[in-house]
Each structure stands twice: as C-alpha cells, then as structure tokens.
Amino acid sequence: MLKKTVSQLQPYVPETPLPELEEKLGLAKVVRLSANENPFGTSPKVQQALQNWDFSNSRYYPDGDASALRQAVAEYINVAPERLLFGNGLDEVIELVSRTFLENTDEVLELGPTFSEYKLHAQIEAAVVRDVSVQTDGIADLTALAAAITPQTKLIWLCNPNNPTGTAVTCAAIAEFMAQVPENVLVLIDEAYMDFVDDLTTYTALPLLTQYANLMVLRTFSKAYGLANFRVGYAVMPPKLAPSLQSVRLPYNLGAVAQLAAKTALADQDFLQTTVTRVQKARQQWEEFLQQNGFTFYRSQANFTFFKAPQALALADDLLHHGFIVRTGLRPDWLRITFGTAEQNAKLQQLILAFYQQ
Ligand SMILES: *Cc1c(COP(=O)(O)O)cnc(C)c1O
C-alpha cells in the first residue's frame, strides 16, 4: 500500500518539549543548545505586534500571497517581490523544491555531512542522492562537487554556512563553481545561518542571482530572528521557475500571525544586530576554549560549533543531567553545540572540562 520510497523511512525524532524533559530529569531548568535556536529570544516588537493583532481575523484564511511580508523581504534583500517563495519554515521550501523537480532516476548532489532534509525529501521522490565529502578541515570541496555532476544530476544542495560543520564558502568560490554547472541543473544555496557570518558580502550568494537562472537562495526566520515557533522561511526563485513552484505550494501555507511575526522581526534590525554581535563574540570565545584545550574543531561561521569530543555520548549525557542538551549523532564522537548566553557558555565549558578530568 505504501509508496515504495516511504516504506523504509523512520519518523524524525523532534526535540522533547522542555517542560517534559525538566520533569523527567528533575531539573528546574534545562537549556536547549541542540537546535540552533536563539538564546537571546525574539524581538520584543514581535510580542507587541501579536498582542495588537485583530483576533476577529481568526475565521478568515490568511493572505495566500503573504503580500506585506513579501514586500518587506523583497526590499530587504533587493529582489523583485514575485521571485520570493514563502514556506511554513524553510523545511517546507525544501520539501516543495524536491516535490516540484524530482522524479525517479534523477540525481541529487549534496556535501556531506549536511542538513538531513535534503536527502529525506529526495528519497521520498525516488531520486538518488550522492554525497560528496567535505574536506578534512570541514570546508566544502566545490571542485569535487562540480566533478560529481552527471547527465542525471537535477539538483545540487549547498548549505552555507553548513549545518553541522559550521564552515562557509565564499561567494567568489560559489561563482567559480556555478560557471561549471550546466544550465539544466538547479543549485540551491541554503543560507539559514548566513546572518551570523563575519562578513556578509564575502559569503552570501545573493549577488549571483542576477547572473544565473539556475540558482536559488534560501533563508529562514527560525535562527537569527528567533522565530522558530512561527515557521517562516523563503527562497529567491529564478523568474522562469516561479510560477511552477507557486503552483505546487499549498495556497494558505503561512498563517497571518506567522506573516506578521516575520515582518515585524525583519523590521527590528537592531535586535538582529545585537543577536549577531553576541553570537560572533561567543563563537570567538568558544573557539579559543576549544583551541586552548586541544579539541579538534571546524572554523564556524554559524551560531554553533562542531567539534570532536571523545566519549561524545557519555559527555552529552553528563551535560544533560546538568541541564544542557547538545546535539549528538551527526558524526561518531563529534558534538554540535549551539552558542548560548555568555553565562551558559561558561557553565557548559566548565562542565566539559570537569567531565574529562574525572
Ligand atoms: C534550521 C535549518 C533549516 C530549517 O529551518 P526552518 O525554517 O525552521 O524550517 C533549514 N536549513 C538548515 C541548514 C537549518 O539548519
């Protein structure tokens, strides 16, 4: 009865709700540093806007074009509004892209390890996924990626900065890569963490959108804007592909409250900048800590670090019982930790050292 590609799938294990976990562990507070959420919260202006939202709108379907949000994002990144595609989280955009382009025997390329959703949705559409490994320093090997393209290749996912390695490639390197990609292959740059890089103009692929009709850039409000609960992500589409992608999208995929939250968050660039500055400071401090204590780690441009931690599972369990959730299971004996507040980072680092000194 099941579609063949679905019969072997296991459900994604989502994060356990914090109150449930706190009760189970008997802890007053558990800090989640496993999902790259914003430890500094959300712009207070969003809370205000939501309180002022006219509840009598509840019975109406939301604006299916997300017009106000569309206009605001279009101005923010300087693209034509009709090139934007909004999703219920970037997750939905990834699903939608896979659903629109992939069919049996198509091939998808990605640089592993990377975000698991690209592979999941390609597999559901019966496409073949090929992983090209990152270099030993964690940096994307774009030469190897270009060399892996075959006549069957349809989509290429490039997460920049990459989750879970945290490393980033420059826009110049991506331009060089694009020059080697045939026009009938679509390249998707997932910029979920782009807000956190040291220098935006060095890394973002947005300027290449005017040059390449086979390039899409994807962003989300879940990370730097602290809006993960509202599920808003978007992509900048090639103009020719826009109508087809819009046809596949569900007509009312974004609720009015989510649209309002995202638009208000985007308008509060002071909050964003404060978050980014704090994350950049934490990143520098974490890398000094890892360096000084002899850990192997990748150079991050994101809001998390990926490092080699001997006995990673035992360490993660120890941290959990001290009230910190970190991400395991991405690579044996490596952990991914989202940067927390300065106080959380100090406590966590102290616990890590204590674990190895036992
Ligand atoms: C978190 C994340 C997303 C998904 O973001 P949502 O908008 O919350 O669905 C997409 N891509 C990467 C690489 C991520 O880490």
Side-chain angles (χ1 to χ4, degrees):
M1 192 191 290
L2 283 172
K3 192 167 157 175
K4 215 185 285 162
T5 58
V6 170
S7 62
Q8 301 298 322
L9 293 180
Q10 301 296 324
Y12 183 84
V13 182
E15 298 284 347
T16 310
L18 288 171
E20 201 178 302
L21 202 61
E22 283 157 0
E23 190 179 326
K24 194 177 127 196
L25 294 165
L27 293 171
K29 187 172 161 56
V30 172
V31 177
R32 184 157 69 206
L33 299 176
S34 56
N36 302 336
E37 293 152 322
N38 189 342
F40 310 109
T42 310
S43 160
K45 299 208 166 119
V46 173
Q47 184 170 14
Q48 217 163 47
L50 297 185
Q51 277 161 355
N52 294 334
W53 185 66
D54 182 356
F55 184 76
S56 70
N57 283 320
S58 297
R59 68 193 150 129
Y60 297 120
Y61 283 106
D63 174 359
D65 288 327
S67 314
L69 176 60
R70 176 178 303 274
Q71 199 55 45
V73 172
E75 279 167 28
Y76 180 67
I77 58 172
N78 194 23
V79 299
E82 58 277 10
R83 290 188 67 171
L84 294 172
L85 173 76
F86 288 92
N88 200 269
L90 192 45
D91 281 352
E92 194 193 34
V93 177
I94 295 167
E95 179 191 45
L96 212 150
V97 165
S98 309
R99 191 158 181 218
T100 306
F101 294 103
L102 296 177
E103 53 200 339
N104 208 358
T105 76
D106 283 344
E107 198 176 75
V108 176
L109 300 183
E110 64 176 21
L111 276 161
T114 192
F115 192 52
S116 60
E117 298 284 310
Y118 315 140
K119 183 173 279 166
L120 171 72
H121 294 292
Q123 283 174 338
I124 293 172
E125 304 306 330
V128 176
V129 182
R130 288 205 289 128
D131 275 272
V132 176
S133 291
V134 295
Q135 296 171 169
T136 45
D137 54 3
I139 304 262
D141 190 345
L142 295 182
T143 309
L145 191 60
I149 298 170
T150 75
Q152 277 70 49
T153 306
K154 179 81 77 72
L155 302 182
I156 302 179
W157 290 100
L158 186 62
C159 187
N160 194 40
N162 186 43
N163 178 6
T165 56
T167 55
V169 286
T170 62
C171 177
I174 295 173
E176 209 174 294
F177 170 72
M178 285 306 296
Q180 302 168 67
V181 177
E183 280 170 27
N184 61 347
V185 176
L186 182 61
V187 176
L188 301 127
I189 317 273
D190 182 341
E191 297 194 346
Y193 299 98
M194 190 50 79
D195 300 289
F196 300 113
V197 300
D198 287 332
D199 178 41
L200 200 56
T201 51
T202 303
Y203 293 104
T204 180
L206 284 178
L208 301 179
L209 286 168
T210 50
Q211 266 177 67
Y212 293 99
N214 58 336
L215 181 66
M216 268 171 83
V217 172
L218 295 78
R219 297 241 175 127
T220 177
F221 284 91
S222 294
K223 310 283 158 62
Y225 288 94
L227 278 186
N229 210 328
F230 286 86
R231 318 301 306 123
V232 185
Y234 63 90
V236 189
M237 304 175 281
K240 262 196 171 154
L241 300 174
S244 303
L245 282 154
Q246 293 291 14
S247 309
V248 176
R249 179 179 65 82
L250 297 176
Y252 300 111
N253 60 332
L254 263 198
V257 175
Q259 294 180 31
L260 177 63
K263 180 176 161 275
T264 311
L266 186 69
D268 192 352
Q269 287 294 308
D270 285 347
F271 177 85
L272 178 79
Q273 203 42 59
T274 305
T275 291
V276 168
T277 305
R278 284 172 164 176
V279 165
Q280 288 170 341
K281 209 170 146 200
R283 182 161 70 212
Q284 197 179 357
Q285 196 276 329
W286 263 100
E287 295 200 341
E288 278 163 21
F289 165 82
L290 292 167
Q291 182 107 43
Q292 277 165 13
N293 291 286
F295 288 96
T296 300
F297 64 98
Y298 291 152
R299 289 271 164 209
S300 174
Q301 284 289 334
N303 64 340
F304 55 84
T305 179
F306 191 52
F307 67 101
K308 189 167 186 206
Q311 309 167 60
L313 294 179
L315 171 60
D317 194 56
D318 181 72
L319 297 176
L320 179 62
H321 285 90
H322 285 91
F324 289 98
I325 317 174
V326 300
R327 184 71 158 90
T328 59
L330 296 163
R331 181 187 273 177
D333 267 349
W334 284 63
L335 291 181
R336 191 194 68 195
I337 297 184
T338 310
F339 305 132
T341 63
E343 193 189 339
Q344 290 163 354
N345 295 332
K347 182 84 206 294
L348 199 49
Q349 290 169 8
Q350 201 186 333
L351 289 167
I352 291 171
L353 293 183
F355 173 81
Y356 289 115
Q357 280 156 11
Q358 281 173 37

